Amino acid sequence: MTSTSTTTEASRGMRHRRPRRSVVPVLAPAVIWAGAAGVLALWWSDTSSVVGPAGWITGAGRITGLLAGYGCALLLLLMARVPLLDHTVGTDRLARWHAWGGRCTISLVLAHTLLIIWGYSLTSHTNVVGQTSTLVLHYPDMLKGTIGFLLFLATGILSARAARRRMSYETWHYLHFATYLAVFLAFGHQLSNGADFVGNRPAQIAWYTLFVGVAALLAWYRFALPVRRGMRHRMRVVAVHPEAPGVVSVHLTGEHLDELGGAPGQFLRWRFLTRELWWTANPYSLSAPAHPRHLRITVKSAGGHSAALAHLRPGTRVWAEGPYGGFTAHRRTAPKVLLLAGGVGITPLRTLFETLPGQVTLVYRARHADDLALRGELDAIAARRQATLHYVVDGPSGYSSPLTARGLGDLVPDLAAHDVYLCGPPGMARSATEALRGAGVPARRIHHESFEF
């Protein structure tokens, strides 16, 4: 079944203004690689010569150790939720960088350990087992470094996809905090034993500056700021309203909510202070533009946490961390915009549908007509701003518009000239991305932010 609201003309007073693109997503990778080059330069400047197999193997161990230490600092920085990075690069992209960097760092830590033991055993003409015992038991802070190494390996195993599927997000999240201890232990080991740091004051100062700076950002944005905002905004649940089967809207009120600065398309991490939910903070998008006294999220029951929200009582205290994400108007590059929603993915797109200037088309896909959440609001927005709205419903008596290049092209003329904001289940998002690319939409104009962190 398809339903269309007229027209394609933009409302008066909603002329498109091209947002200023941030240079941070381009500069961030360049800065990261420049830092890695600086780490290699540290080894080069401190190494007069490399002689024989033992020298080459030990040198490789030193390089991998330096890069592993640098990688530890980067991993913490990427997940520190620094607004400058989060709002420009995007939370999901930072999470992907973090995951890739984690695999690289674990590999470097493992390579460093094996190469150093091997190189030292060749130098001292001892066997690997004896050399390992000597290093661990007789070198300063090496026992701490060994514990950190084991913690890194354990974290890597728990983060593997096969293991990750067997535990809840909350369990995995809290076990991940062991990396903080691992980094602390490894930091002390590097300064005590690292040939590039012993007696090298400038290198020590640079390393301290890097790790203390990252620790300060982490402590502020991950811990201190959420507590400060929770105390200041005093948010509470006002009401919980059903929107569709298994979908509810949670209405909240509080003080100074305008200071949160939540832009349409962004999400916050919500911690509901009940006996069952207080220990976890889950990400949910704002489903209406932020108001100084009111906020709203719309959530589909997809697990224990989201299902429990339907039973929240008015007056329940709430802490919110954020806002996060770069799924906002700042990503827009073209005058025409297509918003493509699947299921409860309508929540961030509903706010963009109301607030994005210029010519905007919304295509909302669902399995059944009853699954179309917030439909009354969407109809009212489309009528008010004279925007195009398509409902596509698969059902026994409905019409299925295939999620293909041709199917989307039939709904949205001149599709290749649009920016596309895409939000929906992972399978739908992948299919939609392929269809959009097949229709000629450049990858840089397909904006998607996943909650699969």
Side-chain angles (χ1 to χ4, degrees):
M1 178 182 71
T2 62
S3 174
T4 306
S5 173
T6 61
T7 71
T8 59
E9 294 300 322
S11 311
R12 290 184 179 180
M14 303 188 76
R15 295 177 181 176
H16 169 64
R17 293 181 181 178
R18 185 168 181 170
R20 183 178 299 175
R21 300 299 299 275
S22 173
V23 298
V24 175
V26 177
L27 287 179
V31 171
I32 290 172
W33 287 112
V39 169
L40 293 176
L42 172 62
W43 171 82
W44 180 267
S45 65
D46 198 53
T47 303
S48 57
S49 62
V50 180
V51 180
W56 283 104
I57 293 171
T58 302
R62 286 171 56 193
I63 291 172
T64 52
L66 288 169
L67 290 174
Y70 175 67
C72 289
L74 283 181
L75 292 179
L76 296 180
L77 177 62
L78 291 174
M79 289 292 100
R81 299 175 187 168
V82 179
L84 177 63
L85 291 174
D86 194 274
H87 296 174
T88 55
V89 177
T91 305
D92 61 335
R93 191 189 300 181
L94 289 174
R96 289 195 296 271
W97 289 1
H98 175 83
W100 183 83
R103 291 189 288 270
C104 291
T105 301
I106 293 294
S107 300
L108 288 168
V109 168
L110 185 59
H112 164 70
T113 303
L114 297 178
L115 290 169
I116 285 294
I117 292 173
W118 187 13
Y120 278 31
S121 67
L122 290 177
T123 300
S124 60
H125 304 287
T126 59
N127 61 64
V128 171
V129 175
Q131 187 62 52
T132 301
S133 175
T134 300
L135 286 172
V136 173
L137 299 178
H138 299 289
Y139 278 60
D141 286 327
M142 189 62 78
L143 185 59
K144 294 179 181 179
T146 302
I147 296 173
F149 166 71
L150 295 175
L151 287 174
F152 273 123
L153 284 185
T155 303
I157 293 171
L158 290 173
S159 298
R161 187 169 297 179
R164 176 75 176 80
R165 291 196 187 108
R166 297 176 179 270
M167 66 181 74
S168 67
Y169 168 80
E170 291 80 10
T171 301
W172 172 85
H173 177 71
Y174 282 105
L175 289 175
H176 225 60
F177 280 127
T179 55
Y180 293 159
L181 177 59
V183 170
F184 173 76
L185 294 172
F187 176 76
H189 147 68
Q190 278 200 305
L191 291 180
S192 298
N193 303 118
D196 300 286
F197 295 105
V198 176
N200 189 340
R201 198 64 176 171
Q204 293 176 7
I205 293 173
W207 216 242
Y208 267 110
T209 301
L210 173 64
F211 277 86
V212 171
V214 170
L217 292 173
L218 195 68
W220 175 252
Y221 288 111
R222 290 293 298 267
F223 300 101
L225 188 58
V227 172
R228 177 178 176 271
R229 286 178 169 174
M231 300 293 290
R232 177 165 176 74
H233 298 303
R234 299 182 176 274
M235 276 192 281
R236 294 182 181 273
V237 174
V238 176
V240 178
H241 293 150
E243 301 287 359
V247 179
V248 297
S249 284
V250 181
H251 298 258
L252 307 110
T253 188
E255 301 175 5
H256 314 291
L257 298 183
D258 52 321
E259 295 178 6
L260 282 172
Q266 289 189 310
F267 68 92
L268 293 90
R269 296 177 185 271
W270 303 88
R271 189 181 301 274
F272 297 91
L273 304 186
T274 68
R275 182 179 300 178
E276 298 82 11
L277 302 177
W278 69 268
W279 63 290
T280 182
N282 279 23
Y284 300 116
S285 296
L286 295 172
S287 61
H291 184 275
R293 290 286 299 174
H294 304 284
L295 297 176
R296 188 185 72 180
I297 58 175
T298 301
V299 181
K300 181 176 181 179
S301 176
H305 188 280
S306 54
L309 301 191
H311 307 290
L312 289 173
R313 296 181 178 179
T316 300
R317 289 290 302 274
V318 184
W319 283 15
E321 306 171 24
Y324 299 121
F327 195 63
T328 65
H330 289 288
R331 288 192 177 182
R332 179 178 183 173
T333 61
K336 299 178 183 179
V337 175
L338 167 63
L339 308 176
L340 182 55
V344 78
I346 190 62
T347 52
L349 297 185
R350 180 253 180 260
T351 59
L352 290 170
F353 189 44
E354 180 175 351
T355 58
L356 273 177
Q359 182 175 325
V360 180
T361 300
L362 172 61
V363 176
Y364 185 8
R365 304 178 64 91
R367 291 187 177 182
H368 307 285
D370 291 342
D371 295 328
L372 295 169
L374 309 174
R375 183 169 182 174
E377 296 181 20
L378 298 174
D379 290 337
I381 293 170
R384 183 170 64 252
R385 63 173 300 172
Q386 297 181 343
T388 301
L389 170 60
H390 297 283
Y391 296 113
V392 180
V393 179
D394 302 331
S397 60
Y399 170 74
S400 177
S401 175
L403 194 53
T404 61
R406 182 174 180 178
L408 289 174
D410 290 340
L411 289 174
V412 186
D414 196 20
L415 178 58
H418 285 67
D419 261 306
V420 181
Y421 287 76
L422 168 63
C423 190
M428 176 264 184
R430 287 190 293 269
S431 298
T433 300
E434 292 176 4
L436 291 165
R437 297 290 289 119
V441 181
R444 68 180 184 278
R445 288 187 177 176
I446 302 174
H447 313 301
H448 172 243
E449 195 161 67
S450 170
F451 278 33
E452 293 186 304
F453 301 146

